[in-house]
Amino acid sequence: MLRRTAVATSALLLGALLFTSCTGTSTTPGPTGAPDPNATLTVGLSLEPSNLDIRRTSGAALEQALIDNVYQGLVTRNGDDGNAIVPELATDWTISPDGLTYTFTLRQGVTFHDGTAMTADDVVTSLQTAKDDTTIQNSADLAGVASISSPDPTTVVVTLSQPNIDFLFALTGRAGLIFKNNDTTNFETTTNGTGPFTVSAWNTGQSLTLARNDSYWGDKAGVAEVVIDYIPDRTAAVNAAVNGDLDAALEVDPELQGQITGTGRFQIESGLTTDKGTLAFNNARAPLNDQRVREALRLAIDHQALIDTLGGGQPLYGPIPPLDPGYEDLSGSISYNPDRARELLAEAGAENLTLTLTIPSVYPSSIATFLVSSFADVGVTLKVSSVDFPTWLTSVYTNHDYDLSFVRHVEARDFGNFANPSYYFGYDNPKVQSLYAQSLATTDEQQSSDYLAEAARIVSDEDAADWLFLSTPLTAVANNVANFPKNSLNVRLPLAGVTVSSE
């Protein structure tokens, strides 16, 4: 295995910007040999978590490595089936007609990795703690819970104060993970979940090793061990694959994929994501509180040219991606028009405008360079402040001290950010807030989607932000690897079903 110095970061909303516009897969044949249950699967990822405490540490890297592999909830989502919600630690559930009461039947025979049997009390305590403790990631997802109880050892009942059509989806996230009651595990360095893998080693700055949990309640993992090799450098990741040190590599640089396919040992897959490359406008700060200025900036950007410059991706003209409820094609809502951009800036009295773009340093400089040139063409001077991610979290995300910012918002169903005036976007529209609230309160999925679509049109029409691209990253998978997941891999990487054959 190659040895490298990795860049460890708290990676909230973050990933290395590697993607492609391709939507097909290669025609390389799959494995021909029998799966080897004693095999090791080695996967190359770009971002390492800063610690292993998935409840209290932000960062998509933690969800990517640990959810479904090490930690589980009552339900989970199937990324390769449109993010459909499927059973996990609950075998089934019922929802009352008024949408307020969720009754879960607990799976029997589940044990934590320390050998302790999971009980209804563990479930009730985990959910109640996640609701009450605001230091737990996504605690707000359970804010509408009125009560959590267990009428018998096989049943847990959750009652909401008002309907929330996204409640089950919320349980697929961190707030829904189930932990042993009164667990004394040091979660920053070790884990104790119920999943098909245990964490057997963490070589900080290098790799995370998962071992098959032979006491797992479900089908045992298809490999004995998974080594997640953290390789932040794109060229180094490709070299590792070419040299045979990786069985799979995520977010392959499109310009380098030929080196991998040239070995004849890999197929290239392209999956769907909810990863939105977002140019944030500080709607609460002049002159960006003037819609004409925001629209002008959007009109100044040739999105397809940016995607071509970066090597791939897909255009996205609104805040909801195709995998999420409420999506509709908004491509007709705005188009590249620098002449109109200049007119709007003149109308707003914003000629010779100077703005600052605050961007995490992990992203390619070509994004900022493209925006500087695009805005200069319409008379806007763009200064670039490249910062490390902790600084971005403090200055932009927490203190809202910025003009423009760029970050990849990878989460599914995160439209609620635009219905939250306290979020760092600073966007405050009561109509959008009302529509979003109605989308959650209805028990009719189509009606909920319609409310979201209407709200998304308003957000786009008011130019609350700009969506530079939808990421569609490449994954290189060795020919002797089967059942490797395809979609939303930057936030979920379920590996229990993956097998490795001798050929």
Side-chain angles (χ1 to χ4, degrees):
M1 192 66 61
L2 298 179
R3 296 297 93 200
R4 295 156 300 275
T5 301
V7 178
T9 182
S10 173
L12 177 69
L13 315 176
L14 184 61
L17 185 62
L18 305 171
F19 48 80
T20 180
S21 60
C22 300
T23 56
T25 61
S26 77
T27 56
T28 305
T32 57
D36 178 4
N38 298 314
T40 293
L41 173 73
T42 305
V43 181
L45 302 182
S46 60
L47 288 172
E48 180 181 24
S50 57
N51 69 66
L52 300 181
D53 189 352
I54 194 167
R55 289 189 295 182
R56 291 183 170 83
T57 304
S58 62
L62 273 172
E63 295 189 27
Q64 184 183 42
L66 300 184
I67 292 185
D68 293 331
N69 294 321
V70 175
Y71 291 115
Q72 298 177 307
L74 294 174
V75 292
T76 190
R77 66 185 84 152
N78 184 344
D80 290 345
D81 185 23
N83 277 335
I85 297 170
V86 296
E88 199 161 55
L89 297 181
T91 57
D92 56 73
W93 59 89
T94 60
I95 306 173
S96 62
D98 61 6
L100 294 178
T101 304
Y102 290 70
T103 303
F104 297 92
T105 301
L106 301 185
R107 191 177 299 278
Q108 299 303 292
V110 176
T111 59
F112 292 98
H113 294 157
D114 67 0
T116 306
M118 185 194 78
T119 67
D121 182 59
D122 295 316
V123 176
V124 171
T125 303
S126 294
L127 298 180
Q128 191 68 52
T129 301
K131 167 182 163 55
D132 296 340
D133 186 349
T134 57
T135 68
I136 290 180
Q137 295 288 310
N138 304 130
S139 172
D141 287 349
L142 304 186
V145 172
S147 66
I148 307 167
S149 63
S150 174
D152 61 66
T154 65
T155 307
V156 168
V157 178
V158 181
T159 303
L160 307 184
S161 56
Q162 61 184 21
N164 180 354
I165 201 167
D166 268 355
F167 178 66
L168 278 178
F169 192 84
L171 290 184
T172 70
R174 299 192 198 206
L177 297 177
I178 305 306
F179 292 83
K180 175 183 170 182
N181 192 18
N182 296 319
D183 200 334
T184 59
T185 298
N186 180 356
F187 288 107
E188 290 195 357
T189 57
T190 54
T191 60
N192 186 26
T194 59
F197 293 100
T198 64
V199 172
S200 61
W202 183 26
N203 188 1
T204 307
Q206 300 286 343
S207 62
L208 182 72
T209 302
L210 308 178
R212 180 170 53 219
N213 174 18
D214 288 325
S215 298
Y216 183 54
W217 56 263
D219 294 336
K220 305 303 183 287
V223 294
E225 184 180 69
V226 174
V227 176
I228 300 176
D229 210 3
Y230 292 107
I231 314 173
D233 180 78
R234 293 179 288 177
T235 301
V238 168
N239 288 340
V242 170
N243 293 336
D245 292 327
L246 297 178
D247 299 305
L250 273 62
E251 300 202 15
V252 173
D253 188 334
E255 295 183 357
L256 303 177
Q257 65 170 305
Q259 297 180 36
I260 296 179
T261 56
T263 66
R265 299 195 305 270
F266 288 89
Q267 55 185 316
I268 300 295
E269 303 281 357
S270 176
L272 302 174
T273 74
T274 56
D275 186 342
K276 306 161 288 291
T278 305
L279 179 64
F281 301 147
N282 192 340
N283 287 254
R285 173 184 287 184
L288 294 160
N289 58 353
D290 188 324
Q291 182 183 345
R292 294 170 297 182
V293 174
R294 300 194 302 269
E295 182 180 359
L297 296 180
R298 293 186 73 192
L299 291 169
I301 302 169
D302 185 339
H303 293 77
Q304 188 58 56
L306 173 60
I307 290 169
D308 293 343
T309 297
L310 295 172
Q314 295 178 355
L316 182 66
Y317 298 94
I320 298 180
L323 281 177
D324 284 353
Y327 170 76
E328 64 178 4
D329 183 358
L330 297 177
S331 58
S333 62
I334 195 166
S335 60
Y336 176 55
N337 191 338
D339 290 335
R340 178 56 180 158
R342 297 184 194 98
E343 292 174 1
L344 285 170
L345 290 170
E347 291 176 15
E351 302 99 325
N352 302 315
L353 184 63
T354 297
L355 298 169
T356 298
L357 171 73
T358 305
I359 182 171
S361 55
V362 295
Y363 295 123
S365 60
S366 51
I367 295 175
T369 299
F370 188 94
L371 294 174
V372 168
S373 176
S374 298
F375 291 163
D377 185 48
V378 298
V380 175
T381 299
L382 185 65
K383 296 181 179 179
V384 178
S385 175
S386 180
V387 300
D388 59 33
F389 200 70
T391 299
W392 184 91
L393 282 172
T394 299
S395 62
V396 177
Y397 187 74
T398 301
N399 295 335
H400 305 181
D401 183 15
Y402 77 103
D403 295 329
L404 309 178
S405 186
F406 172 85
V407 77
R408 278 172 51 176
H409 284 257
V410 303
E411 295 88 349
R413 303 196 189 192
D414 62 354
F415 177 79
N417 293 336
F418 289 98
N420 177 8
S422 299
Y423 197 67
Y424 83 95
F425 295 152
Y427 177 69
D428 188 357
N429 184 305
K431 177 66 171 176
V432 169
Q433 294 156 26
S434 175
L435 287 167
Y436 180 65
Q438 291 177 77
S439 78
L440 296 178
T442 181
T443 58
D444 185 308
E445 291 186 1
Q446 184 58 56
Q447 187 177 57
S448 176
S449 183
D450 291 343
Y451 283 135
L452 287 170
E454 183 179 352
R457 287 194 295 271
I458 295 172
V459 168
S460 180
D461 289 345
E462 293 196 340
D463 308 293
D466 191 53
W467 301 274
L468 299 181
F469 56 82
L470 178 68
S471 179
T472 52
L474 294 176
T475 301
V477 181
N479 295 335
N480 64 332
V481 173
N483 305 320
F484 201 84
K486 292 180 174 62
N487 295 330
S488 298
L489 303 188
N490 51 350
V491 290
R492 294 290 173 91
L493 188 61
L495 296 173
V498 179
T499 60
V500 177
S501 68
S502 55
E503 294 294 335

